[in-house]
Amino acid sequence: MQTSKILAALLALGFSYPSWSQSTGHIGHGGNASESGCIRAKVSRIKPEHLSTVAPGAEFSFAASGSNGPGHIHVSIKQQQIPITVEDKDTFYLVKGKLPADIKNATVRVSVTLKAKFEKCSAEEGWLLKVSE
């Protein structure tokens, strides 16, 4: 009799423990990106670096990871789509492009959109470059 009371008390405590009682075994129903099992898309290895001074028409490059593929990587400057080349490096994509030659004596943002398989894992990133004359 005493053993069954102790066992019943342990079971009641066990099911009232917050992480056990809320866990349903289903992942991806709300919460953050790490709970859904997705890899968040990101930009790294940016060249030239943030706030660098560059010439008009200068080349830029960056590594894109977590993207759904080359067709899901988009670059724009001043709301103008920039043509890019994308090279598959197995674990990331090496993306290259050029600043428009007509942008001079201005600071511009290189805006990058990376679409991932799951929308909440997609990314919108960028960096600023100072364009000389």
Side-chain angles (χ1 to χ4, degrees):
M1 180 72 178
Q2 185 69 4
T3 306
S4 63
K5 286 183 181 180
I6 292 173
L7 184 59
L10 286 175
L11 283 173
L13 285 174
F15 284 111
S16 67
Y17 190 69
S19 66
W20 291 351
S21 62
Q22 293 176 1
S23 176
T24 62
H26 295 285
I27 296 175
H29 298 286
N32 63 28
S34 64
E35 289 176 349
S36 67
C38 72
I39 297 171
R40 183 153 316 268
K42 70 177 186 174
V43 172
S44 61
R45 303 178 193 176
I46 297 168
K47 291 183 184 175
E49 295 179 357
H50 177 64
L51 292 177
S52 295
T53 301
V54 297
E59 292 184 358
F60 62 86
S61 66
F62 60 91
S65 59
S67 168
N68 209 21
H72 299 273
I73 301 171
H74 304 284
V75 178
S76 63
I77 297 174
K78 295 190 174 204
Q79 289 83 34
Q80 176 185 348
Q81 283 296 116
I82 303 298
I84 56 173
T85 59
V86 181
E87 187 178 336
D88 188 350
K89 296 288 191 179
D90 291 331
T91 57
F92 66 94
Y93 295 104
L94 179 60
V95 181
K96 296 179 182 179
K98 287 186 178 184
L99 298 175
D102 61 340
I103 297 177
K104 297 177 183 175
N105 202 22
T107 300
V108 296
R109 176 181 166 85
V110 180
S111 297
V112 179
T113 302
L114 302 174
K115 299 288 184 183
K117 184 175 181 180
F118 300 106
E119 184 61 34
K120 65 183 172 181
C121 300
S122 296
E124 290 184 18
E125 299 185 32
W127 69 99
L128 297 175
L129 295 175
K130 299 174 193 173
V131 183
S132 63
E133 289 185 35

